[in-house]
Amino acid sequence: MKKILVTGGAGFLGSHLCERLVAQKHHVLCVDNYVTGSRGNIQHLLSQPNFEVIRQDVCFPLYVEVDEIYNLACPASPKRYQSDPIQTIKTSVLGAYNLLGLAKRTKSRILQASTSEVYGDPHVHPQPESYWGNVNPLGPRACYDEGKRAAETLFMDYHRQHNVDIRIARIFNTYGPRMAVDDGRVVSNFIVQALRGQPISIYGSGTQTRSFCYVDDLVEGLMALMESSIAGPQPVNLGNPQEISVKDLAQKILSISATESKVFHFPLPVDDPKQRQAEISKAQQLLCWNPKVRLEEGLQKTWAYFKETLDK
Ligand SMILES: NC(=O)c1ccc[n+]([C@@H]2O[C@H](COP(=O)([O-])OP(=O)(O)OC[C@H]3O[C@@H](n4cnc5c(N)ncnc54)[C@H](O)[C@@H]3O)[C@@H](O)[C@H]2O)c1
């Protein structure tokens, strides 16, 4: 049984991760400032003796004793991270700095939740870890993309300079229950619009592609990466390689909803990537990890979650 710190533990991914670690009988310390997460996401864990929560911003140092750290704190939806860009980049950079300092002092292994956004609008497709990316450092997405890139740099430097035991997960689009209703990411957007009988909003022509990973698979991948003795210090892509266009995703969701919602097209946001597909051969090789949940199955489960949430 380990003492495990999960920052961003009240968020979408963090709450699922906390749930899995608590079930494994680890002592889990969740740190969150609730900027995009919620107590509701971890309500069911609060009565567990091996689960604890601290309300804190990771931009400030944390003085706790732990054996392992998962650093997930950072809003992930463009709408949310662009609403306070200075706080977003501070969270990535100062958060990484503070938590790496904690990892150094406590000699803990530390995993960074990085992102496929470090590849920007990629010129290489699909994106292997060796690709350096095509990121606009000045645009409205830079607070997130460049913040996460700088955090990766800090992780590598803490490893080289202080021998901190690091893991870096480059997470591709992930979806599932406990995404926030208003979070504005494509899967939750489409499902919530269909459930409310509103038109489905597609940005651009909808031919841009994404690959979507179900949350249970992603959490398995994060834990496998943390536990692996051979996967550090280097970035490892985690995601589902099944690529789909945004307009085909809308059709899938409309067929689950069996509704007649219309589709409306809006201009593409600035710097929106045209294609994104996870290249996961490294994770397959190093972690023996593969996503298992098919898109249709994951969408059904996510649909059921949002229906229950909106019916409350
Ligand atoms: N979900 C995805 O598709 C995806 C893809 C790539 C990377 N990631 C990364 O995974 C992590 C979790 O993403 P998510 O989808 O669960 O997002 P989320 O917004 O649901 O969760 C982020 C959590 O971090 C907390 N947080 C934000 N800033 C904080 C701060 N300064 N101090 C303390 N807590 C803070 C939020 O309140 C929230 O609970 C993020 O770091 C994100 O960048 C997610």
Side-chain angles (χ1 to χ4, degrees), residues 16 197 221:
H16 286 274

Side-chain angles (χ1 to χ4, degrees), residues 7-14 31-38 41 56-59 71-77 87 91 113-116 144 148 170-175 178-179 183 185:
T7 74
F12 160 51
L13 294 181
V31 167
D32 207 295
N33 68 353
Y34 302 118
V35 68
T36 49
S38 73
N41 284 345
Q56 193 186 310
D57 186 328
V58 294
C59 296
N71 183 30
L72 271 61
C74 188
S77 109
Q87 172 65 13
T91 295
S114 189
T115 171
S116 57
Y144 183 75
K148 290 284 187 179
R170 287 191 181 152
I171 303 170
F172 285 67
N173 286 15
T174 302
Y175 70 99
R178 298 200 201 120
M179 293 180 91
D183 115 333
R185 280 180 273 185

